[in-house]
Amino acid sequence: MSPTMTTTPALLRSLIDGRWEESGGELVSTNPARPDEVVAQGPRASLEDVSRAVEAARRAAPSWSHTPVHERGAVLVRAAGHLEADADTLGRELSREEGKTLAEGRGEVLRAAQILRYYGSEGDRSAGELFHSPRPGERILVTRKPVGVVGVITPFNFPIAIPAWKIAPALVYGNTVVWKPANTVPLLATRLAEALVEAGLPDGVLNLLQGTGELGGAIVDHPGIDAITFTGSTAVGREVASTAALRGVPVQAEMGGKNAAVVLADADLDLASEQVLFGAFRSTGQKCTATSRLIVVDEVADAFMERLIARLDAWIVGDPTDENVHMGPVVGPQQAARIRAGIGASVDRGARLAYGTDLDLPPTVDPTCFIAPTVLELPDEPAAGADPAWREEFFGPVLAVRRARNTGEAVDFANDSEFGLSASIFTQDVSYALDAMEQLKVGILHVNSESAGADPHVPFGGAKKSGLGPKEQGTAAREFFTSTTTVYLRGGRRG
Ligand code: UN1
């Protein structure tokens, strides 16, 4: 298929109590590479639908929680198979709806499948813990139960992988779900729900509500929701968390990042410039784990910047469904306007535009949502630490750079953020790497690799103000999606 060829819009649907909803106001998703092009459309869920979905999830909960974990896992594994079989088609849909490249779109669909497979095997893992007792004839067990009905609110930037990494553990640990995806990427949400239904998920176990932010608010406010997992902006995440706290409901909120890459004097500059490029500009910088700050030690700064800029010269921006393209648009016009304003504010304060010229876009795309990969060199003065490009998450292809006098200052600069999701450090000296493990205040540290990326079997989440509540993925997910019972167990016969 040629990149410009349009197709009939796909059908968006909400799922309540096992039924695909056919009516409701209109919801439309468009292609950010050509905002006039409709990718998918369908009915939008209403506030009444939120209550119907929560009631359905509550009704489905007892039977699902008593279904053996191996059976629950088998549904996830079958759904993974469907996603793998359709990875090309779904990857293209993802690319058209969200704006990441075809390779990234397909890769994300396969990653969602990998996550479903990981949790699909949960039945083969330990179900709890057994402790010694200080009293004779007693054992102490820690068992786990589902928390109940989980509200799931997911962002636009990983329209299938992030939902999979919240919904798969929620389901395998025996919870039922009411899910509200970002309204910019509803098609991939429909596709994940379709795969799970096709895999045999019973009615009401997963309910999907397509629509705008008010639905998310209604889920968070609903008394029938027992726990809330959220990924998205810091502002919304804090609102979600405070509402949940007032209601006494546990919350897992994964929010902002302002992730630094630190290039030390002994780094392999070819490797470092490649990985910084990937970290900052893959997926158009729209990852909470993206590299948005670069700290490079003075001694190698010019040589490093030369290599980074040479790589940027070869970085092709255009229609993300064109196989040759490295970077597509940001997700929508509002986001593009906000990022442009942020770049402007930084330049007004004295940042030097080291890269970010006008784009040479093909005529097949509309420039509204395209932002050039942008590198801002901040002035060598303490006030640089207050620059918006240094402090605020732009969520776009923008990298703010500061030069550091030495390794110590580089680490201090890296820690100079209210966020602490991920970081990268580039060095060939294991002593510096070991120091960085101690000193960098982040939830995820990459030594000699880009700051983005996550594996399903290890904890994912940040330090400082990047997140609230238990971390995601791996065994960390179990902390959030189950509650423990400590059982003091003795035999029933005296003596
Ligand atoms: C990744 O780095 O591949 O919203 C995943 C986000 C993160 C996921 C990042 N929760 O971007």
Side-chain angles (χ1 to χ4, degrees):
M1 201 187 292
S2 89
T4 53
M5 188 174 149
T6 54
T7 46
T8 319
L11 179 62
L12 298 176
R13 298 188 290 182
S14 292
L15 176 70
I16 302 176
D17 206 8
R19 276 194 311 279
W20 295 105
E21 298 290 304
E22 304 291 346
S23 60
E26 175 94 321
L27 182 69
V28 172
S29 78
T30 53
N31 181 345
R34 285 178 293 281
D36 289 340
E37 184 183 304
V38 174
V39 176
Q41 63 191 62
R44 179 165 45 185
S46 66
L47 291 176
E48 294 79 70
D49 293 334
V50 174
S51 291
R52 288 173 53 221
V54 175
E55 282 155 24
R58 294 211 81 79
R59 278 194 303 276
S63 148
W64 181 245
S65 70
H66 289 114
T67 302
V69 61
H70 286 88
E71 270 179 51
R72 297 194 298 246
V75 174
L76 302 184
V77 171
R78 284 195 295 275
H82 297 316
L83 296 184
E84 283 157 354
D86 293 344
D88 286 343
T89 312
L90 301 193
R92 178 173 289 274
E93 288 181 340
L94 199 167
S95 175
R96 289 183 62 224
E97 193 174 60
E98 198 268 353
K100 61 181 70 174
T101 64
L102 268 188
E104 289 167 336
R106 186 172 184 279
E108 188 186 327
V109 172
L110 293 175
R111 179 174 179 177
Q114 184 197 10
I115 292 164
L116 292 171
R117 286 193 187 283
Y118 170 79
Y119 287 105
S121 300
E122 189 58 23
D124 298 343
R125 301 191 188 106
S126 156
E129 285 169 297
L130 173 64
F131 289 84
H132 297 291
S133 168
R135 291 162 292 276
E138 183 178 82
R139 293 284 182 277
I140 307 174
L141 281 64
V142 178
T143 64
R144 289 180 181 268
K145 299 179 181 63
V147 287
V149 178
V150 180
V152 174
I153 301 176
T154 53
F156 76 82
N157 63 328
F158 283 93
I160 194 161
I162 290 180
W165 88 33
K166 291 180 186 294
I167 291 168
L171 296 181
V172 87
Y173 293 122
N175 304 281
T176 57
V177 167
V178 177
W179 171 30
K180 152 74 178 73
N183 64 332
T184 35
V185 291
L187 179 55
L188 267 288
T190 306
R191 297 299 185 229
L192 178 60
E194 285 170 351
L196 285 160
V197 167
E198 209 180 322
L201 198 68
D203 293 352
V205 171
L206 171 68
N207 302 275
L208 163 64
L209 297 167
Q210 299 280 18
T212 47
E214 57 171 7
L215 299 179
I219 292 172
V220 175
D221 284 336
H222 200 291
I225 294 285
D226 300 309
I228 295 154
T229 176
F230 167 92
T231 294
S233 72
T234 303
V236 178
R238 286 182 187 170
E239 261 179 55
V240 167
S242 56
T243 309
L246 284 174
R247 289 191 40 234
V249 167
V251 68
Q252 179 185 52
E254 210 271 289
M255 301 178 283
K258 196 68 207 174
N259 313 301
V262 176
V263 180
L264 298 185
D266 71 317
D268 176 330
L269 299 185
D270 277 330
L271 172 75
S273 59
E274 175 198 64
Q275 295 296 310
V276 168
L277 176 90
F278 290 163
F281 302 114
R282 274 183 170 167
S283 300
T284 325
Q286 298 177 113
K287 295 181 188 177
C288 58
T289 46
T291 304
S292 54
R293 297 184 300 141
L294 167 67
I295 298 131
V296 50
V297 168
D298 250 338
E299 206 179 317
V300 290
D302 287 337
F304 177 85
M305 293 307 287
E306 207 175 284
R307 282 174 172 78
L308 180 63
I309 282 165
R311 287 186 184 278
L312 280 166
D313 281 338
W315 190 247
I316 302 169
V317 182
D319 187 323
T321 60
D322 176 338
E323 307 268 0
N324 298 316
V325 160
H326 297 111
M327 189 176 106
V330 296
V331 74
Q334 281 171 351
Q335 287 82 351
R338 199 177 39 74
I339 297 163
R340 286 194 186 98
I343 296 169
S346 178
V347 169
D348 287 348
R349 288 177 56 101
R352 186 178 72 82
L353 197 59
Y355 202 86
T357 47
D358 287 340
L359 282 170
D360 183 17
L361 291 168
T364 49
V365 303
D366 174 325
T368 310
C369 299
F370 284 86
I371 310 261
T374 301
V375 180
L376 294 164
E377 272 225 43
L378 304 189
D380 182 16
E381 53 189 52
D387 192 287
W390 187 259
R391 299 235 81 84
E392 293 162 25
E393 189 178 38
F394 286 4
F395 224 64
V398 185
L399 181 65
V401 187
R402 290 181 79 179
R403 297 180 182 220
R405 275 157 201 81
N406 50 45
T407 302
E409 189 175 63
V411 169
D412 289 345
F413 281 176
N415 281 334
D416 175 27
S417 171
E418 64 172 328
F419 299 117
L421 182 54
S422 68
S424 293
I425 186 156
F426 294 91
T427 176
Q428 297 183 63
D429 184 332
V430 76
S431 310
Y432 288 135
L434 287 167
D435 287 347
M437 281 166 55
E438 294 301 316
Q439 292 163 354
L440 288 174
K441 297 189 185 94
V442 289
I444 300 157
L445 175 63
H446 290 263
V447 180
N448 295 312
S449 59
E450 62 160 306
S451 64
D455 284 319
H457 62 297
V458 291
F460 179 91
K464 299 200 280 188
K465 293 185 179 163
S466 286
L468 285 168
K471 293 197 174 176
E472 303 189 279
Q473 308 246 54
T475 51
R478 197 166 73 164
E479 294 307 315
F480 183 70
F481 291 105
T482 62
S483 73
T484 59
T485 302
T486 305
V487 182
Y488 294 86
L489 179 65
R490 296 185 195 175
R493 270 198 306 273
R494 183 181 292 279

